[in-house]
Amino acid sequence: MSVNRCLLVQAEVQAFIEHCMLAVGTRPSHARSLAEVLVEGDMRGHYSHGLNRLGEFTKRWSALKRKFSISSLSTLPVHDISCECTVGTNPISVAAPAKNGDSFVLDMATSAAALGKVELHHRNGISIPEGWGCDAEGCFSTDPKAVLSGGGLVPLGGSENTGGHKGYGLGLMVEVFCGILSGSQYSKNIRTWRMTDRRADLGQCFVAINPENFATGFNDRMADLLSMHRNLAPAEPGMPVLAPGDPERKHIQTCRDLGGIPYHLKVVNHMNELASTLGVSPLLPTHRLTE
């Protein structure tokens, strides 16, 4: 069995990210906050949102020279019947508590996949699943390079025949709540995410609901809902039905059991190359190999 992952301690990854960001002129408080967020993404198993993003952040800060303006909503997904990118990945997140510290945690893009996942596949030299993205002509492609070089992500659901119009509608709904309501930029008026010549001017929408203002027994009913689905008979043996938030909790526990976060060796080597160009040391260790 090939060994292509290495184990990194959470603290050393966080320190490495901080050092890289400080090397391009980031304020210490910003570098620390960014490092905490990126490492937390890796701890939860979302490698597309963690250390993998470091290269983009260092490029932006190098260009901005201490001007903080980042974007996760600039246009990337392509409408299922057009070649033009007009909405972002426009994520939706909903969390609700249940009994005994349990919870429902949904955090998803309205595109079929996050751009970072396409980048990871490209960096690791593997194709992406059919339905994640398209090339510059608007045709579905399994080549991550084609998606990253003039193509784009597709809406959740893929083509119109498989429900892509619903993902497209959800993406526009996020534009309504975050862009139109707030008076900020929206759709293709937002500068592209790799441009740093002006502020992104992104809007956000946060809604907090107190369950106590509604029906009684919210936590008990939530626990029952989660249990109802977790106890469903799996269609495939050994693949239990999970509730939103379960995969992340499982990955966090795996990291704790291992004593660190397992990273793909190619990603670690790539980040060490980046750090070397910035004059950062020490580099991330690569000797703790794991399956």
Side-chain angles (χ1 to χ4, degrees):
M1 182 177 293
S2 62
V3 177
N4 57 9
R5 290 182 176 272
C6 65
L7 202 64
L8 300 180
V9 178
Q10 186 173 355
E12 64 189 2
V13 182
Q14 185 166 324
F16 174 81
I17 294 173
E18 286 189 49
H19 292 156
C20 288
M21 295 308 297
L22 290 172
V24 295
T26 311
R27 295 177 184 175
S29 61
H30 288 171
R32 183 168 56 255
S33 296
L34 177 64
E36 291 172 354
V37 169
L38 295 186
V39 173
E40 185 64 25
D42 291 332
M43 276 288 291
R44 293 174 178 270
H46 294 291
Y47 291 103
S48 56
H49 293 62
L51 179 63
N52 179 63
R53 299 246 59 82
L54 180 59
E56 288 300 327
F57 281 112
T58 56
K59 289 177 185 176
R60 291 180 186 184
W61 277 103
S62 296
L64 288 170
K65 297 299 182 184
R66 298 179 182 269
K67 288 167 59 179
F68 189 67
S69 176
I70 62 175
S71 169
S72 61
L73 293 173
S74 52
T75 54
L76 286 167
V78 176
H79 188 286
D80 58 323
I81 55 174
S82 172
C83 295
E84 189 173 358
C85 298
T86 57
V87 294
T89 55
N90 292 12
I92 299 172
S93 181
V94 180
K99 289 195 307 183
N100 302 321
D102 199 3
S103 60
F104 168 96
V105 182
L106 174 68
D107 189 351
M108 52 170 267
T110 53
S111 54
L115 185 70
K117 291 184 178 180
V118 178
E119 291 175 333
L120 275 178
H121 278 68
H122 181 249
R123 187 161 292 153
N124 295 332
I126 54 179
S127 60
I128 59 174
E130 179 79 29
W132 274 20
C134 61
D135 58 23
E137 284 71 46
C139 300
F140 282 106
S141 176
T142 59
D143 181 2
K145 184 177 181 180
V147 176
L148 298 171
S149 304
L153 303 174
V154 298
L156 186 64
S159 69
E160 188 168 6
N161 290 334
T162 56
H165 58 288
K166 297 179 181 179
Y168 166 64
L170 285 173
L172 281 186
M173 181 192 73
V174 173
E175 295 285 353
V176 172
F177 282 106
C178 295
I180 306 301
L181 273 178
S182 68
S184 59
Q185 295 293 345
Y186 52 89
S187 189
K188 61 182 181 180
N189 294 332
I190 301 173
R191 60 122 171 100
T192 54
W193 72 292
R194 282 183 171 143
M195 299 296 292
T196 56
D197 58 335
R198 64 185 186 279
R199 295 184 64 85
D201 189 17
L202 296 174
Q204 312 289 336
C205 179
F206 299 91
V207 179
I209 300 173
N210 185 355
E212 298 299 321
N213 292 332
F214 297 85
T216 59
F218 182 90
N219 287 24
D220 290 337
R221 289 158 61 81
M222 273 301 306
D224 181 55
L225 177 65
L226 295 174
S227 177
M228 186 184 300
H229 288 83
R230 287 168 176 156
N231 291 326
L232 289 172
E236 185 176 338
M239 297 289 290
V241 178
L242 303 177
D246 286 350
E248 290 79 7
R249 280 185 282 266
K250 181 179 179 181
H251 195 271
I252 289 172
Q253 188 58 52
T254 297
C255 291
R256 289 172 177 167
D257 293 341
L258 290 172
I261 306 172
Y263 287 92
H264 199 290
L265 197 55
K266 287 186 177 180
V267 172
V268 176
N269 288 334
H270 178 80
M271 293 307 160
N272 278 340
E273 291 173 5
L274 168 68
S276 295
T277 64
L278 299 175
V280 169
S281 63
L283 301 179
L284 292 170
T286 58
H287 63 281
R288 303 189 205 103
L289 300 180
T290 184
E291 295 178 0

